[in-house]
Structures are given as C-alpha cells and as structure tokens.
Amino acid sequence: QSVLTQPPSVSGAPGQRVSISCTGSSSNIGADYAVHWYQQLPGIAPKLLIYGNIIRPSGVPDRFSGSKSGTSASLAITGLQAEDEADYYCQSYDSSLSAYVFGTGTKVTVL
Amino acid sequence: EVQLLESGGGLVQPGGSLRLSCAASGFTFSSFAMSWVRQAPGKGLEWVLSISGSGGNTFNADSVKGRFTISRDNSKNTVSLQMNSLRAEDTAVYYCAKETGQYWQQPDDAFDIWGQGTMVTVSS
C-alpha cells in the first residue's frame, strides 16, 4: 500500500495538456524530499522522466514538466502525443518508513 | 553506453532461495549506490533494497527484512540480490537500478538507469 497517491488514469486528445498529481504527507513530499517521475511503456523497464522535482534528464522532451508544492507534486504533459501513452509513477523518500516510496501509478491514455 | 543487465530469475518453490545478479557497464560503478526495485504482475513499482557505492551500507524495505540481502563486487561491476524464504507475494519482475548518488540512504536519490528486469515466480 503506497504512501504516495496518484489518480489511476488520465486521458486526453492529441495536442492537449494533461496533469498527474502525486499526493503524499509530512513524512515524504512535505518533508521537502525530492520528487522524481518515471515513465513506463508497456512491457518495458521504467525510464527516469523528471528528477529533483523539476529537472529533465538529457533527451526528455520539454513537453514534460514537474512541480511541487506542500505535500503534493505534479507532472504535466503538454502537446500530448500518441507515444506518451504509458504508466507514470512518482517517487520520493519517506522518513517514517526509512524507505524509498513510489506512487500508485497513473495510466495515461491518448484518445 | 550505460547499461545494466540482470540475470538469475526463474521459478522457485515457496520457502526456496534464488540469487539475482546485475552486471553494470558504461559508468564508474563504485561511485554510485545501487538498488533493486520490483513489480508484481499488473501492479506498481516497489523499492526493495539499496547498497552504497562502497558496499559498506545497505537498507531495505520492511517487506523483505531478514529474508533478502544485497551485496556488490566493485571489482566485477556487479550487484547481487540473495532471496531466501521466498513467498508467493515475492513473485515479480526484479529490476536493478542505478541511483543518482553515492552514499547510503540519500533521501533525494533518483533511479536514473534501469535494467531490463528478470522475472521471479514463486509457486509450487
């Protein structure tokens, strides 16, 4: 049972903007630990998409952006493309569990 | 090219043991902490264990405490996962992942490189 909660699914038409929330608590995101985001295409290993709340690794399109406020974080995808259809996970650290924690995951569907 | 390659997965009976290995290449292996992350069929990601770059420190999720151990050989650029007393709920794809930091239990570490994963099935 994850301590980071994400919506099970979001969807949008090509070209639209979608946003995925990641809600935590005072022992993880609210403790000012960094939030990272991963994209997992079907049947493939996860790929780091955003790290340190807002930083895109080299090669990640600037259509992807991250933000963080209080006990929550968000991933936004602008100009949605068919290739963005995947599962997305947030990740942080939880001091109460002394563990790295992942969000529940969100499936993005391009209509 | 930075790469991680896992091996050792398979079918094992409940209560049995299995050892997974991960071979790293393309980066200074001893400079980074390494983790194992698993994903049960149709489920989300779960961090399992982590080891510091030197190999001197480890920490683990409560779900595997006392049953799984992580180790590394920096001379061979490998990290291993020893799994004992396996249970049906340990059935998952196990991924080896490189962390962005070097030291033990760094809260802001991300997992920037992932292997392709190896399947472990615990069933009689």
Side-chain angles (χ1 to χ4, degrees):
Chain A
Q1 196 157 345
S2 177
V3 297
L4 301 181
T5 302
Q6 301 178 230
S9 64
V10 299
S11 62
Q16 284 190 331
R17 178 185 186 276
V18 296
S19 179
I20 302 170
S21 61
C22 174
T23 303
S25 67
S26 59
S27 62
N28 42 68
I29 298 175
D32 206 25
Y33 297 132
V35 177
H36 320 294
W37 291 90
Y38 302 86
Q39 177 192 60
Q40 187 175 31
L41 297 170
I44 296 178
K47 167 191 168 184
L48 181 63
L49 203 61
I50 298 285
Y51 67 96
N53 306 319
I54 60 171
I55 304 169
R56 285 187 308 277
S58 174
V60 173
D62 58 7
R63 302 185 293 104
F64 296 92
S65 63
S67 64
K68 176 186 161 185
S69 179
T71 58
S72 295
S74 291
L75 173 71
I77 310 174
T78 56
L80 195 63
Q81 299 182 5
E83 68 216 46
D84 299 332
E85 195 159 278
D87 293 326
Y88 293 81
Y89 295 90
C90 60
Q91 178 251 312
S92 187
Y93 177 83
D94 190 282
S95 58
S96 295
L97 299 173
S98 295
Y100 296 120
V101 290
F102 285 93
T104 48
T106 299
K107 182 175 182 58
V108 170
T109 301
V110 182
L111 301 172
Chain B
E1 181 189 4
V2 178
Q3 194 171 3
L4 298 172
L5 188 63
E6 302 97 335
S7 61
L11 174 64
V12 60
Q13 292 189 339
S17 298
L18 202 62
R19 187 177 181 87
L20 307 182
S21 291
C22 171
S25 59
F27 64 97
T28 305
F29 183 66
S30 61
S31 293
F32 296 96
M34 298 292 293
S35 275
W36 288 92
V37 177
R38 68 184 179 183
Q39 186 170 34
K43 303 297 185 182
L45 300 170
E46 179 190 15
W47 168 80
V48 179
L49 300 106
S50 177
I51 187 167
S52 61
S54 68
N57 298 100
T58 66
F59 73 116
N60 55 263
D62 286 343
S63 58
V64 303
K65 190 174 184 178
R67 301 188 300 124
F68 290 13
T69 56
I70 187 173
S71 60
R72 66 190 295 162
D73 185 338
N74 286 344
S75 68
K76 296 181 179 179
N77 287 2
T78 58
V79 58
S80 298
L81 175 61
Q82 178 65 43
M83 303 184 291
N84 299 329
S85 303
L86 281 160
R87 306 166 180 167
E89 54 264 37
D90 296 318
T91 294
V93 174
Y94 284 74
Y95 295 102
C96 170
K98 171 187 168 294
E99 297 186 30
T100 50
Q102 180 179 9
Y103 300 108
W104 174 66
Q105 204 167 354
Q106 294 299 295
D108 291 339
D109 271 6
F111 306 109
D112 61 346
I113 304 295
W114 297 67
Q116 86 289 352
T118 187
M119 183 70 203
V120 172
T121 303
V122 184
S123 174
S124 55

